[in-house]
């Protein structure tokens, strides 16, 4: 988040932002300070990751390096992939598959088949969070030359894509339940998903989509906690 705030801020992408406040764009913090915060965060994550690698497998270091490069390359560097419409792909891989499968491996040094299904659900809802954010920013991103997937898809198809991602999340819960029936607790996230889906399908734009962003985050939280409890049981 710090890296994204810094890179978008110095590029001027956030100059007309209608979403939650950004540090660099609003002048709340200097670009240098935000960049240092990003580097400190990367360093702390690297120390934690190295510790886990030393206690499990050395190849996890390569995963950590890839994760840090992906975090910086989203909006940083000469050709940020977030500006090319690849943000959702990387979020699915790193926030979903890598995070979930990697955590499982570190915990038990094995990866049961249900882990991949659960990881897919985690990745889909993380992508939904990014999609509703980018849906809100289509007008400003278009002007700034940020060719997100939402800009490429257009307003109508992006809204359908969002709903498909949310629905796919809960399909994964049902698939997990084939092996672990208690995983159905993850469906408790559905009530939280109703409001943002209605708002997105209702044609909300600009600041009116901020509540949908918040509610999608809440859906992610409820789904994640409930599914985790279900898989544990």
């Amino acid at each position: 988040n710090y890296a994204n705030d810094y890179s978008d801020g110095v590029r001027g992408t956030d100059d007309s932002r209608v979403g939650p406040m950004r540090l660099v764009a609003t002048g709340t913090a200097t670009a240098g300070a935000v960049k240092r915060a990003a580097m400190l965060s990367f360093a702390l994550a690297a120390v934690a990751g190295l510790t886990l690698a030393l206690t499990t497998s050395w190849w996890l270091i390569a995963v950590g390096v890839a994760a840090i490069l992906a975090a910086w390359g989203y909006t940083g560097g000469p050709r940020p992939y977030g500006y090319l419409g690849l943000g959702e792909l990387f979020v699915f891989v790193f926030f979903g598959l890598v995070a979930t499968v990697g955590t499982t491996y570190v915990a038990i040094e094995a990866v049961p088949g249900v882990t991949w299904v659960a990881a897919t659900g985690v990745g889909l809802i993380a992508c939904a969070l990014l999609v509703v954010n980018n849906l809100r920013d289509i007008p400003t991103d278009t002007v700034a030359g940020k060719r997100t997937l939402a800009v490429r898809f257009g307003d109508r198809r992006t809204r359908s894509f969002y709903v498909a991602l949310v629905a796919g999340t809960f399909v994964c819960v049902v698939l997990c339940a084939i092996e672990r029936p208690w995983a159905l607790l993850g469906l408790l996230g559905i009530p939280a998903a109703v409001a943002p889906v209605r708002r997105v399908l209702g044609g909300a734009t600009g600041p009116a989509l901020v509540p949908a962003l918040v509610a999608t985050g809440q859906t992610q939280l409820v789904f994640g906690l409930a599914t985790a409890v279900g898989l544990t049981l």
Side-chain angles (χ1 to χ4, degrees):
N1 281 328
Y2 282 132
N4 187 27
D5 191 307
Y6 165 77
S7 296
D8 274 347
V10 297
R11 290 178 189 275
T13 307
D14 288 338
D15 289 350
S16 302
R17 183 176 174 82
V18 296
M21 184 191 76
R22 286 288 182 86
L23 297 172
V24 176
T26 59
T28 304
T30 65
V34 175
K35 185 177 182 180
R36 287 192 294 274
M39 294 305 161
L40 177 60
S41 298
F42 286 145
L44 292 173
V47 170
L50 179 61
T51 303
L52 292 175
L54 289 173
T55 57
T56 50
S57 298
W58 277 98
W59 60 263
L60 288 172
I61 294 176
V63 176
V65 170
I68 290 174
L69 291 175
W72 179 258
Y74 175 54
T75 54
R79 289 184 61 81
Y81 63 82
Y83 283 60
L84 303 175
L86 297 174
E88 285 77 7
L89 174 61
F90 278 77
V91 163
F92 177 77
V93 170
F94 285 96
F95 282 68
L97 301 184
V98 172
T100 309
V101 175
T103 300
T104 303
Y105 181 80
V106 167
I108 64 175
E109 296 193 52
V111 183
V114 71
T115 304
W116 292 98
V117 182
T120 299
V122 173
L124 292 177
I125 194 64
C127 285
L129 196 64
L130 178 60
V131 167
V132 72
N133 181 78
N134 289 343
L135 172 65
R136 182 201 64 218
D137 292 340
I138 286 178
T140 54
D141 284 345
T142 301
V143 172
K146 188 175 182 180
R147 300 280 293 168
T148 63
L149 200 60
V151 171
R152 293 175 181 273
F153 276 1
D155 185 275
R156 183 179 60 81
R157 287 196 295 175
T158 299
R159 293 177 190 275
S160 298
F161 184 42
Y162 170 81
V163 174
L165 290 169
V166 173
T169 300
F170 295 108
V171 169
C172 288
V173 169
V174 175
L175 294 177
C176 284
I178 294 174
E179 183 176 330
R180 307 283 180 88
W182 278 101
L184 287 175
L185 284 176
L187 297 180
L188 291 174
I190 291 178
V194 172
V197 167
R198 281 181 175 173
R199 187 172 287 265
V200 169
L201 290 180
T205 60
L209 280 169
V210 173
L213 178 66
V214 174
T216 304
Q218 293 168 342
T219 301
Q220 184 182 38
L221 179 61
V222 175
F223 152 77
L225 287 173
T227 303
V229 170
L231 290 173
T232 301
L233 292 175

